[in-house]
Amino acid sequence: MTVRPARKIRLEDVAEAAGVSRATASRVISRTGPASPAVQDRVRNAARQLGYQPDQVARSLAGGAGFRLVVAIVGTTSRVLDDPYVDRALAAAAETAAPYGVGVSLQWLPRRSPRLDRLAEDRSVRGVVLFNTTEATLAGMPAALNRRVASIGIGSPSVPSFDVDNGGAASTIVRHLYGIGRRRIAMITGPPWLPCAWRSVKAYQDLVRSAGLPVRLVAGDFSAAGGQRGMRIVLRRWPDTDAVFAINDATALGAIAVLRETGRLVPDDIAVAGFDDIPFAELSAPALTTASHPVGAIVSAAVTAVLDGSRVPPAAVFPSTLVRRASA
Amino acid sequence: MTVRPARKIRLEDVAEAAGVSRATASRVISRTGPASPAVQDRVRNAARQLGYQPDQVARSLAGGAGFRLVVAIVGTTSRVLDDPYVDRALAAAAETAAPYGVGVSLQWLPRRSPRLDRLAEDRSVRGVVLFNTTEATLAGMPAALNRRVASIGIGSPSVPSFDVDNGGAASTIVRHLYGIGRRRIAMITGPPWLPCAWRSVKAYQDLVRSAGLPVRLVAGDFSAAGGQRGMRIVLRRWPDTDAVFAINDATALGAIAVLRETGRLVPDDIAVAGFDDIPFAELSAPALTTASHPVGAIVSAAVTAVLDGSRVPPAAVFPSTLVRRASA
DNA sequence: TTGAAAGCGCTAACAC
DNA sequence: GTGTTAGCGCTTTCAA
């Protein structure tokens, strides 16, 4: 039974109740440093009975580890935060970090001045998981973040990378489009500054070129609106296009909307494939053919690497699987 | 030009450079307490030149305000975090809080034991914005959170509420369905424990009853999967249903998917209306008729109330507008 | 209006 | 193994 505390219980109260010094109590509670089994028991019991909750802020100030994991999304505007992919990632991060007693904060990092040094110096920050990482971001990575940072996307010698096999997945999709007889395949890409999208683009280019097909590239911005714009451009430039590969599902859904508006049948006239398998992909009409990533596993691995701080391989590549639905 | 700091700049360094005591520097920097204009200038300049960044953790420990705003989502499982509505809300919260120098953390609050006391005692927490608030949550609200908490949903004397006019919006939608000739209108609701959904349900019931129409209620869970399940139940129980009002867009999109599968035409056979106007609402086929809320404005108002801590009206109700699209 | 001094609650050297 | 002693960087009385 927990006694209702009149005042906030401090480590000192626990130490006193257990008949040990504050330092010993600290060692037991934060399981750092030695302590005899008997003492451990006494301290733990005292803590439980008093309902002791360590003060994370004081802990951080005193030199302990930070208590929050920052999920940082690099982007031009703060609207990058409003994205179903971020949503899933955040939920997974929160879930993985919770058992460590670590909370998750979401933060937009302006692409032009990511100020990673601020995060590095912030004692409350236990670690950082980066999304939409650019080369400039990696170049400006403060050493203080070593072993406390991971990237979902491109990495560097000091920043382990966790990502789906973008190139392989893109190849699979383009090959699939080819396999169903498409020969004039366009691609709506992501924002040009984002390296993790390059691999998909490169895979598309390589495949299409080696098959002797025309390269038809248009830039999008990861949003449905961008997909709509991109699709209109494709139709204008290359009216005979018979398939579209979109860099992500939002883009693909935007493209499909334009095709519907303009009276094209999907997939009969133009096949459309996306990337990510967001929840609404299977609800669209027609249901979207796309590639599914183990987002949960990827983010979870990145979070674990950051929180454990153990030496991790410089890059982990996760498999992606083609999800065949009606649109392609 | 900011000099590159060899070591972290502390308040003490600023004070020294400005030729004042640490206490005075503190007063100036945190604009609390008096200081002569001349001193203010000197301190500010010193801070700027040295590139001083206050240590938020130390600040919180010493008794200053917390430095993060917690967006807390009440729910049965942590999957409540994975929701497009939460996504939009979080982005808006982050944007509003940023100018205050306050970061945003996302947290799932288990419905059975929301542990709001933890948040209240956490010195790093500047304030809390609650989502999916229940009456039990309000009842257990620690006094320490007074004036630092706001609810998107139901409120209480000590917790100001910020919400869309759910009842009014629901009435508008049901009236619209009636107006286009529907007479057997079913509703797929949210999880039964969530009070902010009750108003919509009540509005539906009242309207339908007063028009002499049958009440056809099925419980969903805010998810597309729930919408699919709900729709199947509706079709089984009341095959002659000619309209469905869903508690949110995800539910509505799930319902539409089932109707498509089973060969019903939307809206010809069954009209479908949603609620929220999420980004994919306009991309679905048919495009979803729904009610749009000023989510950004609502969340922004709540965040501002929490951060300013000024006395705010106990409840702010925001208007919702019907968005007529193809589905109803 | 300003300064001196006392903590906030904890961890981490360093002795024992 | 355990206790003692310094701080972490800041805000906040309390005097001056």
Side-chain angles (χ1 to χ4, degrees):
Chain A
M1 290 286 87
T2 301
V3 176
R4 194 100 216 89
R7 205 204 39 190
K8 188 170 177 183
I9 303 294
R10 295 161 322 183
L11 182 58
E12 181 145 20
D13 303 321
V14 174
E16 194 176 353
V20 297
S21 73
R22 223 169 54 211
T24 301
S26 171
R27 286 185 203 108
V28 174
I29 299 288
S30 57
R31 35 174 58 76
T32 161
S36 71
V39 164
Q40 295 205 9
D41 267 14
R42 272 176 18 231
V43 172
R44 294 239 166 72
N45 280 331
R48 192 159 352 96
Q49 288 192 355
L50 294 172
Y52 171 67
Q53 287 296 127
D55 184 319
Q56 303 290 359
V57 169
R59 189 175 257 189
S60 298
L61 213 220
F67 54 89
R68 60 193 185 113
L69 179 86
V70 173
V71 171
I73 322 278
V74 178
T76 309
T77 72
S78 65
R79 273 178 312 161
V80 289
L81 302 180
D82 188 0
D83 175 323
Y85 189 87
V86 167
D87 206 5
R88 271 204 289 174
L90 201 60
E95 201 152 355
T96 309
Y100 291 83
V102 170
V104 171
S105 301
L106 179 65
Q107 193 160 322
W108 160 54
L109 242 42
R111 182 161 69 86
R112 298 296 184 183
S113 58
R115 302 309 320 255
L116 279 158
D117 51 331
R118 294 256 175 93
L119 289 179
E121 281 179 0
D122 188 331
R123 328 172 93 100
S124 72
V125 174
R126 172 82 161 267
V128 177
V129 174
L130 275 174
F131 281 75
N132 293 0
T133 321
T134 65
E135 258 141 20
T137 317
L138 290 176
M141 187 67 56
L145 241 30
N146 278 351
R147 321 179 121 282
R148 296 197 295 145
V149 60
S151 162
I152 311 295
I154 60 168
S156 78
S158 63
V159 181
S161 135
F162 295 79
D163 205 353
V164 73
D165 174 13
N166 280 293
S171 298
T172 304
I173 290 185
V174 176
R175 250 189 238 110
H176 169 68
L177 293 174
Y178 188 90
I180 59 173
R182 309 301 160 138
R183 292 298 178 269
R184 294 173 302 274
I185 305 170
M187 174 168 188
I188 306 178
T189 70
W193 53 265
L194 193 58
C196 66
W198 297 345
R199 287 197 291 254
S200 301
V201 176
K202 183 159 187 319
Y204 159 82
Q205 286 179 317
D206 290 352
L207 229 61
V208 156
R209 279 211 187 101
S210 72
L213 307 182
V215 170
R216 300 179 169 184
L217 279 170
V218 164
D221 61 2
F222 277 172
S223 75
Q228 295 179 286
R229 281 192 297 273
M231 191 67 240
R232 291 212 178 85
I233 294 173
V234 168
L235 291 176
R236 193 170 340 113
R237 283 202 202 148
W238 307 292
D240 64 343
T241 296
D242 60 8
V244 172
F245 169 34
I247 189 76
N248 73 354
D249 287 351
T251 303
L253 294 175
I256 289 181
V258 166
L259 293 173
R260 191 163 47 233
E261 263 171 33
T262 59
R264 267 101 171 167
L265 253 51
V266 177
D268 308 45
D269 297 332
I270 301 191
V272 177
F275 203 82
D276 280 353
D277 196 22
I278 63 173
F280 290 109
E282 67 171 318
L283 298 178
S284 89
L288 190 63
T289 289
T290 184
S292 142
H293 321 168
V295 179
I298 296 173
V299 172
S300 195
V303 169
T304 304
V306 166
L307 294 184
D308 281 352
S310 49
R311 183 159 287 300
V312 289
V317 174
F318 292 75
S320 161
T321 53
L322 180 69
V323 181
R324 267 216 73 173
R325 297 207 184 95
S327 75
Chain B
M1 288 288 85
T2 301
V3 176
R4 193 99 219 92
R7 207 204 40 192
K8 189 170 176 184
I9 302 294
R10 297 161 323 187
L11 182 58
E12 182 145 17
D13 303 320
V14 174
E16 194 176 351
V20 298
S21 73
R22 222 168 55 211
T24 302
S26 171
R27 287 184 203 109
V28 173
I29 298 288
S30 58
R31 36 173 59 77
T32 162
S36 70
V39 164
Q40 295 205 10
D41 268 14
R42 281 193 348 247
V43 172
R44 294 236 167 75
N45 280 331
R48 193 160 351 98
Q49 288 193 355
L50 294 172
Y52 173 66
Q53 287 295 126
D55 184 318
Q56 302 291 358
V57 169
R59 187 176 259 189
S60 296
L61 213 221
F67 54 90
R68 61 191 187 116
L69 179 86
V70 173
V71 171
I73 322 278
V74 178
T76 309
T77 73
S78 66
R79 274 178 312 160
V80 289
L81 302 180
D82 188 1
D83 176 324
Y85 190 87
V86 167
D87 206 5
R88 273 204 288 174
L90 201 60
E95 200 152 0
T96 309
Y100 291 83
V102 169
V104 171
S105 302
L106 180 64
Q107 193 161 324
W108 159 54
L109 243 43
R111 183 161 70 86
R112 299 295 185 185
S113 59
R115 303 307 322 253
L116 279 158
D117 52 331
R118 294 257 175 94
L119 289 179
E121 280 179 3
D122 186 330
R123 327 172 93 101
S124 73
V125 173
R126 173 83 160 268
V128 177
V129 174
L130 276 173
F131 281 74
N132 293 1
T133 321
T134 65
E135 257 140 21
T137 317
L138 290 176
M141 187 66 56
L145 240 29
N146 277 352
R147 321 177 121 283
R148 296 197 295 147
V149 59
S151 162
I152 311 294
I154 61 168
S156 78
S158 63
V159 181
S161 133
F162 294 79
D163 206 354
V164 73
D165 174 15
N166 280 294
S171 298
T172 303
I173 289 184
V174 177
R175 251 189 236 109
H176 168 69
L177 294 173
Y178 187 90
I180 59 173
R182 311 299 161 137
R183 292 298 179 269
R184 294 173 303 275
I185 306 171
M187 175 168 186
I188 306 178
T189 70
W193 53 266
L194 191 59
C196 65
W198 298 345
R199 287 197 292 253
S200 301
V201 177
K202 186 163 186 316
Y204 158 84
Q205 285 179 317
D206 290 353
L207 229 61
V208 156
R209 280 209 186 101
S210 72
L213 307 182
V215 170
R216 300 179 168 182
L217 279 171
V218 165
D221 60 2
F222 278 172
S223 75
Q228 294 179 287
R229 281 192 296 272
M231 190 69 240
R232 290 211 179 86
I233 295 174
V234 168
L235 291 175
R236 192 170 341 114
R237 282 202 203 148
W238 308 291
D240 65 343
T241 295
D242 61 7
V244 171
F245 170 33
I247 190 76
N248 72 355
D249 286 350
T251 304
L253 294 174
I256 289 181
V258 166
L259 292 174
R260 190 164 45 234
E261 263 171 34
T262 59
R264 267 97 170 173
L265 254 51
V266 177
D268 307 47
D269 298 332
I270 301 191
V272 177
F275 204 81
D276 281 352
D277 196 20
I278 62 174
F280 291 108
E282 69 171 319
L283 298 177
S284 88
L288 190 63
T289 290
T290 184
S292 142
H293 322 166
V295 178
I298 296 173
V299 172
S300 192
V303 169
T304 305
V306 166
L307 295 183
D308 281 352
S310 49
R311 183 160 287 303
V312 290
V317 175
F318 291 73
S320 160
T321 54
L322 180 69
V323 181
R324 268 215 72 175
R325 297 207 183 95
S327 75

